[in-house]
């Protein structure tokens, strides 16, 4: 793999979208999560457990 930065955009912060965003962030990709509903983004950031919250705070997952 090259040294260039990889960014993944996930459209939709529901159950599937937030799960995909979590997996991609954990794999080391800079992940941007989009949703038209602000409430979905808030739920997507919280997610199950603390792992996604940690990724959000460290800048790997952007909502």
């Amino acid at each position: 793999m090259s040294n260039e930065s990889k960014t993944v955009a996930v459209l939709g912060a529901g159950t599937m979208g937030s799960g995909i965003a979590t997996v991609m962030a954990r794999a080391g990709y800079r992940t941007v999560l989009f949703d038209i509903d602000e409430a979905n983004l808030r739920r997507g950031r919280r997610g199950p457990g603390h792992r996604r919250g940690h990724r959000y705070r460290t800048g790997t997952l952007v909502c």
Side-chain angles (χ1 to χ4, degrees), residues 1 3-4 9-10 22 24 29 34 39 44 46 50 55-56 58:
M1 184 178 236
N3 287 336
E4 64 186 65
V10 180
T22 298
M24 299 309 291
Y29 291 91
F34 293 96
R46 271 194 317 246
H50 66 279
R55 297 291 177 187
Y56 177 71
T58 59

Side-chain angles (χ1 to χ4, degrees), residues 8-58:
V8 175
V10 180
L11 306 179
T15 301
M16 183 180 279
S18 63
I20 292 169
T22 298
V23 169
M24 299 309 291
R26 291 185 73 187
Y29 291 91
R30 181 177 183 274
T31 306
V32 182
L33 184 59
F34 293 96
D35 199 294
I36 60 172
D37 184 355
E38 185 68 31
N40 278 346
L41 282 175
R42 284 192 299 274
R43 281 191 297 272
R45 281 195 297 251
R46 271 194 317 246
H50 66 279
R51 287 186 216 120
R52 185 175 301 127
H54 172 72
R55 297 291 177 187
Y56 177 71
R57 284 189 304 276
T58 59

